[in-house]
Amino acid sequence: MQILERFSQENARSYAIRVLTHNIINLKLEPGSSVSENELSSILNVSRTPIREALIELHRQQLVEIYPQKGSYISKIDYDLIEATRFLRLTVENAIVQLACDGISQEYQNKLEHNLFLQNSYLKSLTQEKLWKYDEEFHKLLFESVNKSKVYDILKTQMIHFDRLRIFMLKNLKEVKTVKDHENILYAINQKDKELATTLMSTHLLRDQPDQDKLRKIHPEYFK
C-alpha cells in the first residue's frame, strides 16, 4: 500500500478516502483483498472513526464491500460498472474532440505535443505509473483546450472503475497502444477531421473489449 503525503488542512476522513482510492485504482489494494480498520488506522496514523467513514463512502462508490461481522473487502472489477461509465465517457469525449477540431490554441497544441513526448519516454522505459499519469493528463488537456475543465472534473468522479481496468491493462498487456492512439487523435484534431477524431477516440476507449477474456485469465480472482 502506498502512503500519500497528507495535505495541510486536510481532515482525516478526506485523507483516508484519497489514500484508499489511490491504492484501489492502482491495484496496490488488490480486488477481493480484505482491509482492516485497525491496520489502516495504524498505517495512516488516524483514528478508526475516519477510517470507518472512508470505507462507508467507498462502499457507496462500489469500491469496497462491507459485510457485518465479517469485515471489509476491496470490490472486484465489475464489467457492468465499467460499461456504464464507458458509455458516459464515449459520449462526452467524442463531443470534446469534435470541439477541438474547430481549433485549439497554440499553447494547448504545445502542451499536448509535450505530453506525447513524455508518454513515449515512459513507454520506452516501461514506467507504468508515469505513463498512466500522462495518459490521464492528455485527456484532461483536451478538455481544457476547449474550455471544458469543469466537465472533466465531473466526468472524473465517475471514472474510478474504468480507470482501475486501464491500470490493470497497463500492468499486464505487453503491447500498449495507448500512446499511438493519442498521437492519432491529435493528428485528426490538427486535420480538423471530426469524423476521424471521433472514430479514433471511440477505438481508444473501447480498446480493452477484445481483451476481456485475456485479462480475466491473468487474474481471474480480480473480476466479478
Side-chain angles (χ1 to χ4, degrees):
M1 180 168 167
Q2 184 178 1
I3 310 304
L4 306 179
E5 183 179 354
R6 186 168 172 177
F7 300 143
S8 61
Q9 315 264 325
E10 185 177 32
N11 65 41
R13 176 182 179 276
S14 297
Y15 174 60
I17 290 172
R18 184 167 62 87
V19 173
L20 289 171
T21 301
H22 172 84
N23 281 278
I24 291 171
I25 290 175
N26 287 280
L27 304 174
K28 297 185 186 299
L29 287 172
E30 296 183 350
S33 64
S34 63
V35 285
S36 160
E37 287 184 13
N38 287 333
E39 288 181 8
L40 291 173
S41 174
S42 176
I43 291 170
L44 298 182
N45 195 28
V46 300
S47 68
R48 285 184 60 185
T49 299
I51 295 295
R52 187 177 303 113
E53 291 174 347
L55 291 174
I56 290 171
E57 172 59 23
L58 294 174
H59 175 67
R60 187 187 67 78
Q61 297 180 35
Q62 301 183 66
L63 291 172
V64 169
E65 302 292 338
I66 299 176
Y67 301 99
Q69 275 77 55
K70 289 186 178 180
S72 300
Y73 297 82
I74 304 303
S75 296
K76 294 188 177 183
I77 297 172
D78 185 339
Y79 263 106
D80 286 341
L81 290 173
I82 289 167
E83 292 306 322
T85 53
R86 189 203 307 277
F87 176 82
L88 176 62
R89 186 165 187 177
L90 274 167
T91 303
V92 175
E93 294 215 35
N94 280 340
I96 291 297
V97 293
Q98 287 194 43
L99 288 174
C101 285
D102 290 331
I104 61 175
S105 69
Q106 188 60 50
E107 175 189 2
Y108 276 99
Q109 177 71 31
N110 294 342
K111 286 181 177 181
L112 287 161
E113 288 177 356
H114 181 63
N115 173 278
L116 289 173
F117 170 80
L118 293 172
Q119 285 189 54
N120 273 303
S121 298
Y122 291 119
L123 178 62
K124 290 174 183 176
S125 64
L126 299 177
T127 310
Q128 293 162 344
E129 287 194 16
K130 290 289 188 180
L131 183 57
W132 158 251
K133 174 185 175 181
Y134 289 107
D135 175 345
E136 189 175 22
E137 183 185 85
F138 179 85
H139 290 268
K140 184 178 181 180
L141 286 170
L142 287 177
F143 280 78
E144 291 178 359
S145 73
V146 294
N147 197 29
K148 298 297 180 186
S149 295
K150 290 182 179 179
V151 177
Y152 176 85
D153 292 340
I154 294 169
L155 182 65
K156 186 61 184 170
T157 64
Q158 306 300 313
M159 296 312 302
I160 294 173
H161 298 280
F162 190 77
D163 289 345
R164 189 160 62 146
L165 179 66
R166 290 171 67 209
I167 288 288
F168 184 78
M169 289 176 65
L170 278 176
K171 289 178 179 290
N172 291 282
L173 295 184
K174 291 182 180 179
E175 186 179 9
V176 178
K177 298 179 180 178
T178 302
V179 182
K180 188 63 177 177
D181 284 353
H182 291 162
E183 290 175 339
N184 290 337
I185 289 166
L186 184 57
Y187 169 81
I189 289 171
N190 289 336
Q191 296 299 309
K192 302 187 184 300
D193 189 332
K194 293 185 178 182
E195 183 177 355
L196 178 59
T198 53
T199 298
L200 291 169
M201 181 61 79
S202 296
T203 299
H204 176 58
L205 296 178
L206 292 166
R207 189 167 288 289
D208 69 280
Q209 286 189 322
D211 294 318
Q212 284 189 26
D213 290 340
K214 185 189 300 185
L215 292 169
R216 286 179 184 274
K217 287 178 182 177
I218 295 170
H219 276 293
E221 72 279 11
Y222 280 10
F223 293 86
K224 278 193 174 181

